[in-house]
Amino acid sequence: MSERTPAEGLVDVHAHFVTDGYVAAARAAGHLQPDGMPGWPRWDAATHLELMDEWGVATSILSISSPGVHFGDDRAARALCREVNDAGARVARRHPGRFGHFASLPLPDVEGALAEAARALDELGSHGLAVLSNAGGAYLGAARFAPLWAELDRRGAVVFVHPTSPCHDPVPRRPRPMMEFVFDSARAAADLVFNGVLTRWPRIRWIFTHGGGSLPLLADRMELFRTVFLGRDGQGLQDGRPDVPAVQQQLAGLWWDLAGTPFPHQVPALVSAFGSRRILYGSDYCWTPPAGTAAQVASIDEAPQPPGTTWRALTTSNALRLLPALGTGAASG
């Protein structure tokens, strides 16, 4: 097994793991076909490391995917959250430099999320926090989440936003990751914009997935509605201030991973809308099977490369700016 450093290989910010206990808890809560998918994947660190070496991935940041850890009971969610975060942190400690960890939070339980965020960042050494695009139908701009964002802004924390199913599935019997995930990411980002979260707490470093989903195409339309229809007295005011940046400018401050189908169409649209300095690599393994991840990596390598560099080098250098502790093989905290 090779021992690549992050400077020599891809940094995968969108990599998932599961544990037997987590899958059992999710199934007991009724998630037999999570988000309309056929079933649950299997995961173990040894297999993941072998595949990382095949794909040229130096470091993978592990997180729990949808449906998350909150299945209706705050106390149970807090316990499951601690369980999966302890498991992810153990993997990162056993394989320094190869694995990192984004800790889950038990939203919509804000009190529990505040406690677990502090534990993850201060005790477990997690690189950041993972949240879903909505928590029981509450999107990320909801007023109830303000204490959490204030604390994470104080810390300058990284927050990885993973999409999940909307509360009302418009197309039953189809896997929600196929289409609904990208739209729910857009809903979450729009909620952050229009509720002033991005401007009120600018030190949070948000990662959104799947090449921005539909956001590169929607940003201009969102700005049109913000200035023409949603402004106060036609002045385009938001959050009570006249100096709010345009939607495009706010979204350009987010970070974006390449999970899914980045080429031939999605990444050019993303770069055109928001630039390339915040684009990161993401595989979506283990929910994306190895063959799918291999094909995605091949598409990145075979695509037209950015001027003066490669997608591998660009996304890795971006990742090391976002998460400088990766370059030392140590978690931040």
Side-chain angles (χ1 to χ4, degrees):
M1 185 179 297
S2 70
E3 293 297 330
R4 285 186 178 90
T5 67
E8 298 169 334
L10 290 166
V11 174
D12 183 356
V13 301
H14 187 159
H16 297 306
F17 75 109
V18 295
T19 68
D20 290 343
Y22 170 65
V23 173
R27 283 177 170 157
H31 294 279
L32 303 180
Q33 294 182 297
D35 298 298
M37 295 293 282
W40 288 88
R42 298 186 63 83
W43 182 88
D44 66 83
T47 300
H48 197 161
L49 286 167
E50 291 175 3
L51 292 169
M52 288 164 59
D53 288 339
E54 288 182 19
W55 301 327
V57 174
T59 305
S60 292
I61 313 296
L62 299 174
S63 60
I64 291 292
S65 183
S66 178
V69 298
H70 199 296
F71 304 132
D73 178 85
D74 285 354
R75 176 179 288 187
R78 293 184 187 190
L80 183 59
C81 198
R82 290 178 66 94
E83 178 183 320
V84 298
N85 288 341
D86 287 346
R90 278 196 302 271
V91 173
R93 285 195 299 270
R94 290 171 182 169
H95 304 279
R98 299 309 308 274
F99 287 117
H101 179 234
F102 289 151
S104 295
L105 297 181
L107 291 178
D109 171 15
V110 174
E111 183 179 345
L114 281 165
E116 188 61 15
R119 192 180 79 92
L121 297 174
D122 296 338
E123 300 177 24
L124 298 183
S126 300
H127 287 87
L129 296 315
V131 301
L132 296 179
S133 52
N134 79 80
Y139 284 88
L140 302 180
R144 73 175 79 171
F145 298 145
L148 178 62
W149 306 145
E151 173 60 14
L152 298 187
D153 181 78
R154 184 186 71 80
R155 292 174 174 269
V158 172
V159 179
F160 176 76
V161 181
H162 195 280
T164 189
S165 294
C167 285
H168 302 288
D169 183 9
V171 188
R173 298 182 299 281
R174 292 181 188 168
R176 266 81 78 191
M178 181 173 69
M179 293 176 58
E180 290 308 314
F181 271 25
V182 298
F183 290 115
D184 216 61
S185 286
R187 294 182 188 104
D191 211 49
L192 293 175
V193 168
F194 290 115
N195 285 293
V197 173
L198 299 183
T199 54
R200 192 178 304 133
W201 295 295
R203 296 185 67 243
I204 298 175
R205 293 167 289 166
W206 304 89
I207 302 173
F208 274 73
T209 65
H210 304 113
S214 58
L215 282 166
L217 303 181
L218 291 176
D220 292 343
R221 187 172 180 83
M222 290 163 63
E223 177 65 6
L224 170 68
F225 274 72
R226 184 184 78 89
T227 55
V228 175
F229 297 105
L230 302 181
R232 184 176 301 165
D233 299 325
Q235 299 301 309
L237 301 183
Q238 176 188 311
D239 196 31
R241 293 174 294 158
D243 58 342
V244 174
V247 170
Q248 298 93 328
Q249 184 179 345
Q250 292 188 52
L251 294 179
L254 307 179
W255 298 75
W256 315 92
D257 77 44
L258 298 183
T261 53
F263 291 99
H265 304 298
Q266 197 165 20
V267 167
L270 177 66
V271 172
S272 177
F274 307 129
S276 62
R277 282 182 48 81
R278 296 185 177 222
I279 296 178
L280 309 164
Y281 174 69
S283 70
D284 217 347
Y285 180 80
C286 59
W287 281 95
T288 296
T293 302
Q296 179 236 32
V297 170
S299 79
I300 292 171
D301 290 338
E302 294 165 3
Q305 300 298 299
T309 185
T310 66
W311 289 113
R312 285 179 177 263
L314 176 67
T315 59
T316 296
S317 65
N318 289 346
L320 293 179
R321 282 192 297 111
L322 175 65
L323 298 163
L326 292 177
T328 67
S332 63

